[in-house]
Amino acid sequence: MSFLSEIERRRTFGIVSHPDAGKTTLTEKLLLFGGAIQEAGAVKSNKIKKGATSDFMEIERQRGISVATSVLAFEYNGIKINILDTPGHKDFAEDTFRTLTAVDSVIVVIDVAKGVEEQTEKLVKVCRMRNIPIIVFINKMDREGKDAFDLLDEIEQKLGLKVVPLSFPIGMGYDFKGIYNIWEKNINLFTGDSKRDIEETIKISDVSDPALNTIIGDTAAETLREELELVEGIYPDFNKEDYLNGDLQPVFFGSALNNFGVRELLDCFVSIAPEPRPKHSEERLVDPKEEKFTGFVFKIHANMDPNHRDRLAFIKIVSGEFKRNTPYLHVRHNKKLKFSSPNAFFAEKKEIVDISYPGDIVGLHDTGNFKIGDTLTEGEFLNYKGVPSFSPEHFRYINNADPLKSKQLYKGIDQLMDEGVAQLFTLDLNGRKVIGTVGALQYEVIQYRLEHEYGAKCSYENLNVHKACWIEPESVNHPEFVEFKRVKQRFLATDKHGQLVFFADSIFSLQMTEQKYPSIKFHLTSEF
């Protein structure tokens, strides 16, 4: 196949939602249709032995939540699909924001009973800022929940989306009969039996056909006709251009756990979702069809394989072909590196690939060369932007609980911080280490992973800090900056990249400091 047709058959998307709406379960079912796994695992803890394929870290299996973004790839009808299943829990939101820099479109999962939740609002806002095309999947239709029209209104109001339903439920919860597929004009009946293969759909080209009454009963048929008439009256017709520009969002209904409505979603996704899109670098806009290879690191994961202590850098390929054993330029270090075993993923299973195309995600073994946001090219000096570090909201001193293991502890902290799990600051005054995270759950994950992956024990001490701000002085010798450093010495630290950080203990003290030193800029993200 030619280079161009390889690009055209790639679709790379992320699945985002509030925790427990069913992202990981939906991911599993998509893989099932792609023939990638024979039996899908649910995330429900303790119910069944098989865990979800995409939750491969021990801690994820214990808690029944996703902690790290996982990358999965499969083929469906000749289309190569790359899925990034992101963590929903807000304590891991930073991982999710970074992942959104590497996708071309997004599926947002919404729980029919809970409707739009706060984490969904935040994530959709990020997608809207970047104009990422969105498809909405309303999950758990086999449970009692909100009325379909109320839900669609809620999505329009809270998320600011313009929706168009491409399938519609027949009843819900106890009375759930099935789904009318508006996109393909057929009906899929719900049996409630997840063992049965639900490929059987009944073609109904005209809803006024009396055959509908015999299939789903008179009352359900009448209601469906009225509702579809309403849908046609209220919502715009689907237009692919508008969807690709981020101005129109198709909605599907279904139940991922019962494997229902997922095939409809996948078929439509394959035909409308965007192929790899151009991406902005600081220097210029890079088109995927360019012949020269470029790509960037959006995630680093330490210890994918507990037996080998390996670190993998995940690279999203933006343009050109990435070939095995070919030297590429690491732009930040300005040196050439070559990779003998680039991996393609299927949760924790990996295969070595000889050649990858734009849209693909490749894992490279890393001995500490990469940081999140690094760019690789064939020689051009390019820097992809938009992979920020956010100001943490929780701060704790980290102490070594086992003096004999200090080397393991520092190595472990170092690698976990490179991974972007949290941020490490060193106080200027006494050199004590402070860990800042976006969510409190991160501390448990760090403690757990230090002990189980590095054999080091740590303890924490609370530290009263409201925000960490990155400092940008007018000039290093500015008298105001010199005085600031002298007066605020107790509150100054450096981050991992050696940038100066100011710890403000309250909103009030931050405002006072900003007024007192007008020549200094205080930033809440590290990308300035």
Side-chain angles (χ1 to χ4, degrees):
M1 282 174 95
S2 72
F3 174 55
L4 291 181
S5 58
E6 281 291 352
I7 299 182
E8 280 159 15
R9 64 183 209 98
R10 295 284 190 280
R11 305 279 183 278
T12 305
F13 73 100
I15 297 191
V16 299
S17 82
H18 198 80
D20 276 349
K23 287 186 297 300
T24 301
T25 312
L26 178 64
T27 308
E28 292 280 309
K29 298 299 159 117
L30 290 171
L31 291 176
L32 191 65
F33 280 112
I37 37 176
Q38 296 314 308
E39 157 203 9
V43 193
K44 288 277 174 291
S45 45
N46 308 337
K47 290 277 172 63
I48 40 176
K49 293 239 174 63
K50 185 183 185 310
T53 315
S54 61
D55 285 352
F56 56 85
M57 276 160 68
E58 184 59 36
I59 192 162
E60 297 180 296
R61 298 204 172 113
Q62 287 175 4
R63 294 284 180 96
I65 55 170
S66 298
V67 174
T69 300
S70 48
V71 182
L72 303 146
F74 66 94
E75 296 247 345
Y76 180 76
N77 290 352
I79 298 286
K80 166 102 189 291
I81 299 178
N82 298 304
I83 305 183
L84 294 131
D85 173 20
T86 63
H89 205 290
K90 71 171 186 304
D91 289 5
F92 306 104
E94 221 179 311
D95 201 24
T96 308
F97 288 140
R98 282 197 291 259
T99 303
L100 289 175
T101 59
V103 299
D104 298 309
S105 65
V106 162
I107 292 181
V108 176
V109 185
I110 289 176
D111 182 325
V112 68
K114 296 182 187 151
V116 175
E117 297 170 273
E118 66 161 336
Q119 193 55 27
T120 321
E121 291 187 51
K122 283 188 192 158
L123 293 167
V124 169
K125 210 185 211 158
V126 177
C127 299
R128 308 274 303 146
M129 271 164 34
R130 304 202 165 114
N131 281 341
I132 301 175
I134 298 172
I135 294 181
V136 180
F137 181 71
I138 296 177
N139 194 12
K140 307 193 182 180
M141 287 310 296
D142 53 325
R143 301 188 188 176
E144 294 299 326
K146 304 187 179 186
D147 171 73
F149 287 107
D150 292 349
L151 260 176
L152 292 168
D153 285 349
E154 191 179 324
I155 293 170
E156 297 219 298
Q157 281 155 11
K158 281 196 179 168
L159 301 179
L161 302 180
K162 192 168 165 200
V163 299
V164 46
L166 292 187
S167 76
F168 209 79
I170 306 168
M172 83 153 66
Y174 188 68
D175 304 322
F176 184 52
K177 297 269 198 310
I179 283 174
Y180 180 74
N181 186 343
I182 302 175
W183 172 251
E184 291 174 5
K185 290 211 162 64
N186 58 29
I187 276 186
N188 195 340
L189 291 180
F190 181 64
T191 54
D193 174 12
S194 57
K195 300 250 182 334
R196 269 191 52 190
D197 200 7
I198 10 184
E199 293 288 307
E200 310 145 35
T201 49
I202 303 163
K203 269 269 181 260
I204 290 195
S205 43
D206 185 8
V207 200
S208 53
D209 189 345
L212 187 64
N213 296 36
T214 41
I215 301 171
I216 58 174
D218 295 341
T219 25
E222 277 314 303
T223 321
L224 179 66
R225 288 181 186 124
E226 284 165 19
E227 290 183 331
L228 288 174
E229 210 169 298
L230 263 173
V231 168
E232 266 176 36
I234 306 174
Y235 298 104
D237 289 338
F238 175 72
N239 174 332
K240 191 169 166 180
E241 280 302 295
D242 291 348
Y243 155 73
L244 290 176
N245 295 335
D247 298 330
L248 191 68
Q249 287 78 24
V251 179
F252 286 88
F253 291 85
S255 158
L257 190 64
N258 292 303
N259 218 341
F260 197 78
V262 179
R263 194 188 57 80
E264 286 79 350
L265 172 72
L266 190 56
D267 285 346
C268 175
F269 173 82
V270 164
S271 63
I272 67 172
E275 47 193 67
R277 304 165 75 186
K279 186 169 170 65
H280 283 281
S281 66
E282 282 171 26
E283 292 74 14
R284 60 190 188 86
L285 183 67
V286 179
D287 191 274
K289 299 190 170 82
E290 293 178 19
E291 283 178 13
K292 292 226 189 299
F293 159 76
T294 66
F296 66 97
V297 178
F298 67 92
K299 171 184 162 58
I300 290 174
H301 198 113
N303 302 327
M304 288 279 290
D305 179 346
N307 307 327
H308 291 292
R309 291 270 169 275
D310 57 345
R311 274 176 46 154
L312 277 180
F314 288 74
I315 296 225
K316 158 83 190 267
I317 296 172
V318 183
S319 67
E321 296 174 340
F322 178 83
K323 298 186 178 114
R324 188 175 150 189
N325 283 328
T326 308
Y328 292 115
L329 177 71
H330 182 317
V331 175
R332 185 171 52 86
H333 284 330
N334 192 9
K335 67 174 187 192
K336 295 252 172 153
L337 300 171
K338 65 180 184 184
F339 306 94
S340 57
S341 55
N343 286 304
F345 294 96
F346 173 73
E348 78 262 48
K349 296 191 194 64
K350 305 187 296 233
E351 300 162 1
I352 291 180
V353 282
D354 286 323
I355 185 162
S356 306
Y357 298 94
D360 282 343
I361 283 150
V362 180
L364 304 178
H365 287 282
D366 175 28
T367 49
N369 290 316
F370 289 115
K371 287 182 184 164
I372 286 175
D374 278 348
T375 305
L376 274 178
T377 68
E378 273 190 37
E380 187 182 353
F381 279 85
L382 273 185
N383 288 286
Y384 283 111
K385 40 182 196 199
V387 188
S389 287
F390 297 90
S391 169
E393 289 174 18
H394 304 264
F395 297 85
R396 290 183 196 171
Y397 286 119
I398 181 165
N399 299 324
N400 186 358
D402 179 355
L404 296 173
K405 293 283 177 74
S406 58
K407 189 175 161 213
Q408 285 88 325
L409 180 76
Y410 288 120
K411 183 182 172 192
I413 293 175
D414 206 45
Q415 295 201 348
L416 291 177
M417 299 305 131
D418 273 350
E419 204 178 296
V421 175
Q423 293 172 52
L424 184 69
F425 303 102
T426 310
L427 284 179
D428 283 7
L429 194 63
N430 53 13
R432 286 193 73 180
K433 306 274 186 228
V434 173
I435 284 188
T437 68
V438 178
L441 201 62
Q442 295 283 37
Y443 289 109
E444 275 184 57
V445 173
I446 292 170
Q447 201 165 20
Y448 182 91
R449 290 185 61 187
L450 281 173
E451 193 172 330
H452 289 81
E453 295 175 12
Y454 297 92
K457 286 189 171 65
C458 71
S459 63
Y460 297 115
E461 250 177 86
N462 274 339
L463 174 65
N464 179 26
V465 173
H466 162 67
K467 274 273 187 257
C469 304
W470 281 270
I471 301 290
E472 187 186 5
E474 226 170 74
S475 77
V476 193
N477 306 325
H478 197 288
E480 209 172 89
F481 180 57
V482 175
E483 191 205 341
F484 166 79
K485 286 210 312 203
R486 186 179 55 83
V487 176
K488 297 289 182 190
Q489 192 194 359
R490 287 178 32 237
F491 305 103
L492 294 182
T494 46
D495 72 0
K496 220 178 150 184
H497 310 295
Q499 291 174 329
L500 192 64
V501 176
F502 169 61
F503 284 163
D505 51 11
S506 67
I507 295 190
F508 177 68
S509 77
L510 180 58
Q511 287 167 343
M512 293 298 291
T513 312
E514 287 184 312
Q515 282 165 11
K516 194 173 168 195
Y517 304 104
S519 75
I520 299 174
K521 288 188 184 140
F522 295 84
H523 298 278
L524 288 177
T525 58
S526 64
E527 202 180 70
F528 55 81

